[in-house]
Amino acid sequence: MAPLSRRMVAEALGTFGLIFIGCGVVVANTFPDGNSGIVGIALAHAVVLGVMITCTMNISGGHHNPAVTIGLFSAGRISGKDAGAYVVAQLVGALLGAFLLRLLLPPGVVSAGSLGTPTVALAITGPQAVGIEAVLTFFLVSAVYGTAVSPNAPKVGGFGIGLVLLFDILAGGPLSGGVMNPARAFGPAVVSGNLIGQYVWWVGPILGGIIAAQLWERVLLKE
């Protein structure tokens, strides 16, 4: 296993890529020629996460998501010390990705798009949004177990995990933001100064991640 410092750099790098590309394509949609829409946003998130997980999975496991890390911690797959270090690295990577976007883009565009900070639809209540994020993250962590953690996992790199973002964002993006990742909400929110509703993207994903991890550990992977 790689030293913890090296694994932290890998986690920060992967999360940086997710934020810079994921939030970048959201902001790009505010430009006159930006017409990728939700399909393009979902596809960009799916591809960048799949690539970054594949790049780093042999170093850190390719979590890039506090909900994944905490879910694996709840199942004993990672120590408390390492989990805490991973979450810190992920949040730092998210902040760096969002900060670089703000540095490179015109101030008016940054303000209009809030750097891709997620929002909850007006018709959706807070508890409903938490529930939606929990279910979406349940699918994500299930993919982590089924394609990476399981000893019988197919050799598809991180793309089986990344593809979950495609259908999760298409389904949940217009409702709860389709975030599934506290770092994805935290980085752009802090840098843009828009911290409304952050609890939705912490409570929901962490809850869903823990439930998925427990199901796989206790039932689906049990000998």
Side-chain angles (χ1 to χ4, degrees), residues 54-96:
T54 303
C55 288
T56 60
M57 63 191 313
N58 290 330
I59 301 172
S60 65
H63 296 191
H64 313 318
N65 184 339
V68 171
T69 298
I70 293 171
L72 293 175
F73 166 70
S74 76
R77 292 280 177 174
I78 185 173
S79 70
K81 174 187 174 183
D82 287 2
Y86 273 36
V87 171
V88 170
Q90 292 155 3
L91 296 179
V92 169
L95 288 169
L96 289 175

mmCIF file of all heavy atoms in Angstrom, residues 54-96:
data_model
loop_
_atom_site.group_PDB
_atom_site.id
_atom_site.type_symbol
_atom_site.label_atom_id
_atom_site.label_comp_id
_atom_site.label_asym_id
_atom_site.label_seq_id
_atom_site.Cartn_x
_atom_site.Cartn_y
_atom_site.Cartn_z
ATOM 1 N N THR A 54 -9.891 5.513 -12.405
ATOM 2 C CA THR A 54 -8.994 4.569 -13.064
ATOM 3 C C THR A 54 -7.538 4.977 -12.888
ATOM 4 O O THR A 54 -6.667 4.124 -12.678
ATOM 5 C CB THR A 54 -9.342 4.465 -14.560
ATOM 6 O OG1 THR A 54 -10.716 4.068 -14.696
ATOM 7 C CG2 THR A 54 -8.470 3.442 -15.256
ATOM 8 N N CYS A 55 -7.266 6.271 -12.939
ATOM 9 C CA CYS A 55 -5.894 6.767 -12.780
ATOM 10 C C CYS A 55 -5.346 6.528 -11.378
ATOM 11 O O CYS A 55 -4.147 6.296 -11.208
ATOM 12 C CB CYS A 55 -5.843 8.268 -13.082
ATOM 13 S SG CYS A 55 -6.036 8.699 -14.816
ATOM 14 N N THR A 56 -6.206 6.601 -10.365
ATOM 15 C CA THR A 56 -5.722 6.616 -8.984
ATOM 16 C C THR A 56 -6.098 5.377 -8.171
ATOM 17 O O THR A 56 -5.666 5.259 -7.027
ATOM 18 C CB THR A 56 -6.274 7.850 -8.242
ATOM 19 O OG1 THR A 56 -7.716 7.801 -8.242
ATOM 20 C CG2 THR A 56 -5.821 9.141 -8.914
ATOM 21 N N MET A 57 -6.866 4.448 -8.741
ATOM 22 C CA MET A 57 -7.373 3.352 -7.920
ATOM 23 C C MET A 57 -6.255 2.449 -7.398
ATOM 24 O O MET A 57 -6.391 1.854 -6.320
ATOM 25 C CB MET A 57 -8.427 2.539 -8.684
ATOM 26 C CG MET A 57 -7.953 1.837 -9.911
ATOM 27 S SD MET A 57 -9.370 1.191 -10.906
ATOM 28 C CE MET A 57 -10.392 0.394 -9.660
ATOM 29 N N ASN A 58 -5.147 2.356 -8.107
ATOM 30 C CA ASN A 58 -4.044 1.530 -7.625
ATOM 31 C C ASN A 58 -3.162 2.262 -6.612
ATOM 32 O O ASN A 58 -2.234 1.664 -6.062
ATOM 33 C CB ASN A 58 -3.191 1.049 -8.797
ATOM 34 C CG ASN A 58 -3.914 0.022 -9.646
ATOM 35 O OD1 ASN A 58 -4.749 -0.730 -9.148
ATOM 36 N ND2 ASN A 58 -3.607 -0.015 -10.935
ATOM 37 N N ILE A 59 -3.454 3.538 -6.385
ATOM 38 C CA ILE A 59 -2.708 4.304 -5.379
ATOM 39 C C ILE A 59 -3.537 4.462 -4.114
ATOM 40 O O ILE A 59 -3.119 4.058 -3.024
ATOM 41 C CB ILE A 59 -2.306 5.692 -5.925
ATOM 42 C CG1 ILE A 59 -1.448 5.548 -7.183
ATOM 43 C CG2 ILE A 59 -1.556 6.496 -4.845
ATOM 44 C CD1 ILE A 59 -1.169 6.865 -7.878
ATOM 45 N N SER A 60 -4.720 5.044 -4.257
ATOM 46 C CA SER A 60 -5.536 5.355 -3.080
ATOM 47 C C SER A 60 -6.849 4.570 -3.030
ATOM 48 O O SER A 60 -7.573 4.635 -2.036
ATOM 49 C CB SER A 60 -5.872 6.849 -3.069
ATOM 50 O OG SER A 60 -6.701 7.182 -4.177
ATOM 51 N N GLY A 61 -7.181 3.860 -4.100
ATOM 52 C CA GLY A 61 -8.486 3.223 -4.191
ATOM 53 C C GLY A 61 -9.464 4.048 -5.000
ATOM 54 O O GLY A 61 -10.533 3.570 -5.363
ATOM 55 N N GLY A 62 -9.107 5.307 -5.285
ATOM 56 C CA GLY A 62 -9.941 6.157 -6.128
ATOM 57 C C GLY A 62 -11.297 6.476 -5.533
ATOM 58 O O GLY A 62 -12.316 6.327 -6.193
ATOM 59 N N HIS A 63 -11.331 6.970 -4.295
ATOM 60 C CA HIS A 63 -12.610 7.319 -3.667
ATOM 61 C C HIS A 63 -13.156 8.632 -4.229
ATOM 62 O O HIS A 63 -14.269 8.683 -4.743
ATOM 63 C CB HIS A 63 -12.445 7.464 -2.152
ATOM 64 C CG HIS A 63 -12.050 6.220 -1.453
ATOM 65 N ND1 HIS A 63 -12.074 6.092 -0.087
ATOM 66 C CD2 HIS A 63 -11.608 5.025 -1.911
ATOM 67 C CE1 HIS A 63 -11.674 4.897 0.268
ATOM 68 N NE2 HIS A 63 -11.370 4.228 -0.826
ATOM 69 N N HIS A 64 -12.411 9.710 -4.037
ATOM 70 C CA HIS A 64 -12.768 11.048 -4.526
ATOM 71 C C HIS A 64 -14.143 11.513 -4.058
ATOM 72 O O HIS A 64 -14.806 12.308 -4.752
ATOM 73 C CB HIS A 64 -12.677 11.113 -6.051
ATOM 74 C CG HIS A 64 -11.428 10.516 -6.601
ATOM 75 N ND1 HIS A 64 -10.194 10.715 -6.021
ATOM 76 C CD2 HIS A 64 -11.207 9.691 -7.665
ATOM 77 C CE1 HIS A 64 -9.266 10.051 -6.699
ATOM 78 N NE2 HIS A 64 -9.863 9.428 -7.700
ATOM 79 N N ASN A 65 -14.563 11.034 -2.912
ATOM 80 C CA ASN A 65 -15.913 11.320 -2.430
ATOM 81 C C ASN A 65 -15.984 10.969 -0.946
ATOM 82 O O ASN A 65 -15.824 9.794 -0.583
ATOM 83 C CB ASN A 65 -16.919 10.486 -3.226
ATOM 84 C CG ASN A 65 -18.357 10.767 -2.869
ATOM 85 O OD1 ASN A 65 -18.668 11.275 -1.803
ATOM 86 N ND2 ASN A 65 -19.254 10.405 -3.766
ATOM 87 N N PRO A 66 -16.222 11.947 -0.065
ATOM 88 C CA PRO A 66 -16.331 11.630 1.369
ATOM 89 C C PRO A 66 -17.398 10.592 1.682
ATOM 90 O O PRO A 66 -17.247 9.807 2.626
ATOM 91 C CB PRO A 66 -16.681 12.986 1.995
ATOM 92 C CG PRO A 66 -16.093 13.992 1.066
ATOM 93 C CD PRO A 66 -16.278 13.398 -0.307
ATOM 94 N N ALA A 67 -18.485 10.555 0.916
ATOM 95 C CA ALA A 67 -19.536 9.578 1.175
ATOM 96 C C ALA A 67 -19.044 8.162 0.907
ATOM 97 O O ALA A 67 -19.395 7.219 1.630
ATOM 98 C CB ALA A 67 -20.766 9.881 0.325
ATOM 99 N N VAL A 68 -18.239 7.982 -0.130
ATOM 100 C CA VAL A 68 -17.649 6.671 -0.419
ATOM 101 C C VAL A 68 -16.682 6.287 0.690
ATOM 102 O O VAL A 68 -16.710 5.159 1.203
ATOM 103 C CB VAL A 68 -16.936 6.690 -1.781
ATOM 104 C CG1 VAL A 68 -16.143 5.403 -1.995
ATOM 105 C CG2 VAL A 68 -17.943 6.879 -2.919
ATOM 106 N N THR A 69 -15.824 7.218 1.071
ATOM 107 C CA THR A 69 -14.838 6.937 2.114
ATOM 108 C C THR A 69 -15.518 6.586 3.428
ATOM 109 O O THR A 69 -15.139 5.607 4.099
ATOM 110 C CB THR A 69 -13.921 8.155 2.310
ATOM 111 O OG1 THR A 69 -13.215 8.414 1.092
ATOM 112 C CG2 THR A 69 -12.906 7.910 3.423
ATOM 113 N N ILE A 70 -16.520 7.357 3.827
ATOM 114 C CA ILE A 70 -17.206 7.094 5.097
ATOM 115 C C ILE A 70 -17.989 5.782 5.022
ATOM 116 O O ILE A 70 -18.056 5.030 5.997
ATOM 117 C CB ILE A 70 -18.111 8.279 5.461
ATOM 118 C CG1 ILE A 70 -17.246 9.511 5.768
ATOM 119 C CG2 ILE A 70 -19.003 7.952 6.663
ATOM 120 C CD1 ILE A 70 -18.018 10.803 5.928
ATOM 121 N N GLY A 71 -18.571 5.490 3.871
ATOM 122 C CA GLY A 71 -19.253 4.213 3.710
ATOM 123 C C GLY A 71 -18.300 3.048 3.881
ATOM 124 O O GLY A 71 -18.604 2.074 4.595
ATOM 125 N N LEU A 72 -17.134 3.121 3.261
ATOM 126 C CA LEU A 72 -16.140 2.058 3.393
ATOM 127 C C LEU A 72 -15.591 1.977 4.819
ATOM 128 O O LEU A 72 -15.315 0.890 5.323
ATOM 129 C CB LEU A 72 -14.995 2.291 2.402
ATOM 130 C CG LEU A 72 -15.375 2.153 0.921
ATOM 131 C CD1 LEU A 72 -14.202 2.531 0.031
ATOM 132 C CD2 LEU A 72 -15.830 0.738 0.597
ATOM 133 N N PHE A 73 -15.470 3.115 5.473
ATOM 134 C CA PHE A 73 -15.044 3.126 6.880
ATOM 135 C C PHE A 73 -16.066 2.421 7.761
ATOM 136 O O PHE A 73 -15.701 1.644 8.662
ATOM 137 C CB PHE A 73 -14.829 4.562 7.350
ATOM 138 C CG PHE A 73 -14.716 4.703 8.838
ATOM 139 C CD1 PHE A 73 -13.612 4.223 9.521
ATOM 140 C CD2 PHE A 73 -15.735 5.304 9.569
ATOM 141 C CE1 PHE A 73 -13.509 4.333 10.909
ATOM 142 C CE2 PHE A 73 -15.650 5.423 10.947
ATOM 143 C CZ PHE A 73 -14.539 4.934 11.620
ATOM 144 N N SER A 74 -17.347 2.654 7.501
ATOM 145 C CA SER A 74 -18.396 2.031 8.315
ATOM 146 C C SER A 74 -18.371 0.517 8.188
ATOM 147 O O SER A 74 -18.836 -0.198 9.081
ATOM 148 C CB SER A 74 -19.775 2.565 7.903
ATOM 149 O OG SER A 74 -20.206 1.992 6.678
ATOM 150 N N ALA A 75 -17.834 0.029 7.073
ATOM 151 C CA ALA A 75 -17.760 -1.410 6.840
ATOM 152 C C ALA A 75 -16.395 -1.985 7.183
ATOM 153 O O ALA A 75 -16.141 -3.165 6.933
ATOM 154 C CB ALA A 75 -18.094 -1.709 5.380
ATOM 155 N N GLY A 76 -15.509 -1.161 7.737
ATOM 156 C CA GLY A 76 -14.192 -1.638 8.135
ATOM 157 C C GLY A 76 -13.214 -1.802 6.994
ATOM 158 O O GLY A 76 -12.185 -2.463 7.156
ATOM 159 N N ARG A 77 -13.497 -1.192 5.856
ATOM 160 C CA ARG A 77 -12.610 -1.313 4.700
ATOM 161 C C ARG A 77 -11.463 -0.316 4.729
ATOM 162 O O ARG A 77 -10.520 -0.422 3.933
ATOM 163 C CB ARG A 77 -13.416 -1.125 3.414
ATOM 164 C CG ARG A 77 -14.398 -2.240 3.123
ATOM 165 C CD ARG A 77 -13.719 -3.426 2.506
ATOM 166 N NE ARG A 77 -14.625 -4.542 2.282
ATOM 167 C CZ ARG A 77 -14.277 -5.654 1.639
ATOM 168 N NH1 ARG A 77 -13.054 -5.774 1.162
ATOM 169 N NH2 ARG A 77 -15.149 -6.636 1.486
ATOM 170 N N ILE A 78 -11.546 0.691 5.611
ATOM 171 C CA ILE A 78 -10.496 1.692 5.744
ATOM 172 C C ILE A 78 -10.473 2.144 7.195
ATOM 173 O O ILE A 78 -11.522 2.183 7.854
ATOM 174 C CB ILE A 78 -10.749 2.885 4.779
ATOM 175 C CG1 ILE A 78 -9.609 3.895 4.817
ATOM 176 C CG2 ILE A 78 -12.085 3.555 5.065
ATOM 177 C CD1 ILE A 78 -9.734 4.996 3.765
ATOM 178 N N SER A 79 -9.291 2.443 7.708
ATOM 179 C CA SER A 79 -9.168 2.851 9.107
ATOM 180 C C SER A 79 -9.691 4.268 9.316
ATOM 181 O O SER A 79 -9.815 5.045 8.361
ATOM 182 C CB SER A 79 -7.703 2.782 9.545
ATOM 183 O OG SER A 79 -6.943 3.807 8.915
ATOM 184 N N GLY A 80 -9.992 4.601 10.558
ATOM 185 C CA GLY A 80 -10.469 5.943 10.869
ATOM 186 C C GLY A 80 -9.451 7.007 10.525
ATOM 187 O O GLY A 80 -9.803 8.074 10.002
ATOM 188 N N LYS A 81 -8.188 6.734 10.798
ATOM 189 C CA LYS A 81 -7.128 7.700 10.495
ATOM 190 C C LYS A 81 -7.044 7.958 8.992
ATOM 191 O O LYS A 81 -6.997 9.104 8.539
ATOM 192 C CB LYS A 81 -5.784 7.173 10.994
ATOM 193 C CG LYS A 81 -4.587 8.032 10.593
ATOM 194 C CD LYS A 81 -3.274 7.371 10.978
ATOM 195 C CE LYS A 81 -2.091 8.160 10.444
ATOM 196 N NZ LYS A 81 -0.798 7.502 10.750
ATOM 197 N N ASP A 82 -7.035 6.879 8.214
ATOM 198 C CA ASP A 82 -6.944 7.036 6.769
ATOM 199 C C ASP A 82 -8.202 7.694 6.207
ATOM 200 O O ASP A 82 -8.126 8.524 5.296
ATOM 201 C CB ASP A 82 -6.723 5.686 6.107
ATOM 202 C CG ASP A 82 -5.313 5.145 6.317
ATOM 203 O OD1 ASP A 82 -4.516 5.812 7.005
ATOM 204 O OD2 ASP A 82 -5.018 4.051 5.811
ATOM 205 N N ALA A 83 -9.368 7.327 6.732
ATOM 206 C CA ALA A 83 -10.621 7.916 6.251
ATOM 207 C C ALA A 83 -10.632 9.417 6.493
ATOM 208 O O ALA A 83 -11.016 10.198 5.608
ATOM 209 C CB ALA A 83 -11.817 7.263 6.942
ATOM 210 N N GLY A 84 -10.221 9.841 7.683
ATOM 211 C CA GLY A 84 -10.168 11.270 7.978
ATOM 212 C C GLY A 84 -9.223 12.000 7.046
ATOM 213 O O GLY A 84 -9.533 13.094 6.542
ATOM 214 N N ALA A 85 -8.058 11.395 6.787
ATOM 215 C CA ALA A 85 -7.083 12.014 5.886
ATOM 216 C C ALA A 85 -7.628 12.091 4.459
ATOM 217 O O ALA A 85 -7.431 13.093 3.762
ATOM 218 C CB ALA A 85 -5.779 11.218 5.908
ATOM 219 N N TYR A 86 -8.324 11.051 4.038
ATOM 220 C CA TYR A 86 -8.907 11.048 2.695
ATOM 221 C C TYR A 86 -9.938 12.175 2.547
ATOM 222 O O TYR A 86 -9.959 12.883 1.539
ATOM 223 C CB TYR A 86 -9.600 9.714 2.424
ATOM 224 C CG TYR A 86 -8.721 8.624 1.866
ATOM 225 C CD1 TYR A 86 -7.389 8.482 2.255
ATOM 226 C CD2 TYR A 86 -9.214 7.700 0.950
ATOM 227 C CE1 TYR A 86 -6.591 7.471 1.749
ATOM 228 C CE2 TYR A 86 -8.420 6.685 0.434
ATOM 229 C CZ TYR A 86 -7.115 6.571 0.836
ATOM 230 O OH TYR A 86 -6.325 5.573 0.325
ATOM 231 N N VAL A 87 -10.811 12.319 3.538
ATOM 232 C CA VAL A 87 -11.852 13.340 3.455
ATOM 233 C C VAL A 87 -11.230 14.733 3.397
ATOM 234 O O VAL A 87 -11.655 15.585 2.607
ATOM 235 C CB VAL A 87 -12.831 13.223 4.639
ATOM 236 C CG1 VAL A 87 -13.774 14.420 4.686
ATOM 237 C CG2 VAL A 87 -13.634 11.927 4.540
ATOM 238 N N VAL A 88 -10.212 14.977 4.212
ATOM 239 C CA VAL A 88 -9.516 16.269 4.171
ATOM 240 C C VAL A 88 -8.923 16.510 2.781
ATOM 241 O O VAL A 88 -9.075 17.594 2.203
ATOM 242 C CB VAL A 88 -8.414 16.328 5.245
ATOM 243 C CG1 VAL A 88 -7.521 17.558 5.041
ATOM 244 C CG2 VAL A 88 -9.025 16.356 6.639
ATOM 245 N N ALA A 89 -8.267 15.498 2.227
ATOM 246 C CA ALA A 89 -7.661 15.640 0.905
ATOM 247 C C ALA A 89 -8.724 15.901 -0.163
ATOM 248 O O ALA A 89 -8.523 16.726 -1.065
ATOM 249 C CB ALA A 89 -6.868 14.381 0.562
ATOM 250 N N GLN A 90 -9.844 15.216 -0.067
ATOM 251 C CA GLN A 90 -10.929 15.415 -1.036
ATOM 252 C C GLN A 90 -11.482 16.830 -0.973
ATOM 253 O O GLN A 90 -11.732 17.460 -2.013
ATOM 254 C CB GLN A 90 -12.035 14.390 -0.772
ATOM 255 C CG GLN A 90 -11.626 12.955 -1.090
ATOM 256 C CD GLN A 90 -12.429 11.922 -0.313
ATOM 257 O OE1 GLN A 90 -13.340 12.274 0.437
ATOM 258 N NE2 GLN A 90 -12.100 10.659 -0.482
ATOM 259 N N LEU A 91 -11.657 17.349 0.227
ATOM 260 C CA LEU A 91 -12.186 18.707 0.370
ATOM 261 C C LEU A 91 -11.183 19.739 -0.132
ATOM 262 O O LEU A 91 -11.565 20.736 -0.757
ATOM 263 C CB LEU A 91 -12.559 18.976 1.826
ATOM 264 C CG LEU A 91 -13.695 18.119 2.395
ATOM 265 C CD1 LEU A 91 -13.954 18.471 3.859
ATOM 266 C CD2 LEU A 91 -14.966 18.282 1.577
ATOM 267 N N VAL A 92 -9.903 19.497 0.125
ATOM 268 C CA VAL A 92 -8.872 20.408 -0.383
ATOM 269 C C VAL A 92 -8.866 20.388 -1.907
ATOM 270 O O VAL A 92 -8.797 21.442 -2.562
ATOM 271 C CB VAL A 92 -7.485 20.020 0.176
ATOM 272 C CG1 VAL A 92 -6.375 20.772 -0.555
ATOM 273 C CG2 VAL A 92 -7.404 20.311 1.670
ATOM 274 N N GLY A 93 -8.937 19.200 -2.495
ATOM 275 C CA GLY A 93 -8.983 19.096 -3.952
ATOM 276 C C GLY A 93 -10.193 19.813 -4.535
ATOM 277 O O GLY A 93 -10.101 20.477 -5.574
ATOM 278 N N ALA A 94 -11.334 19.692 -3.857
ATOM 279 C CA ALA A 94 -12.554 20.362 -4.321
ATOM 280 C C ALA A 94 -12.401 21.876 -4.259
ATOM 281 O O ALA A 94 -12.823 22.595 -5.180
ATOM 282 C CB ALA A 94 -13.745 19.915 -3.476
ATOM 283 N N LEU A 95 -11.822 22.365 -3.186
ATOM 284 C CA LEU A 95 -11.607 23.807 -3.054
ATOM 285 C C LEU A 95 -10.649 24.318 -4.125
ATOM 286 O O LEU A 95 -10.874 25.379 -4.718
ATOM 287 C CB LEU A 95 -11.065 24.132 -1.663
ATOM 288 C CG LEU A 95 -12.056 23.996 -0.503
ATOM 289 C CD1 LEU A 95 -11.327 24.094 0.827
ATOM 290 C CD2 LEU A 95 -13.139 25.070 -0.587
ATOM 291 N N LEU A 96 -9.590 23.562 -4.389
ATOM 292 C CA LEU A 96 -8.618 23.984 -5.401
ATOM 293 C C LEU A 96 -9.256 24.002 -6.797
ATOM 294 O O LEU A 96 -9.025 24.923 -7.581
ATOM 295 C CB LEU A 96 -7.407 23.043 -5.394
ATOM 296 C CG LEU A 96 -6.492 23.148 -4.180
ATOM 297 C CD1 LEU A 96 -5.407 22.076 -4.244
ATOM 298 C CD2 LEU A 96 -5.850 24.528 -4.103
#
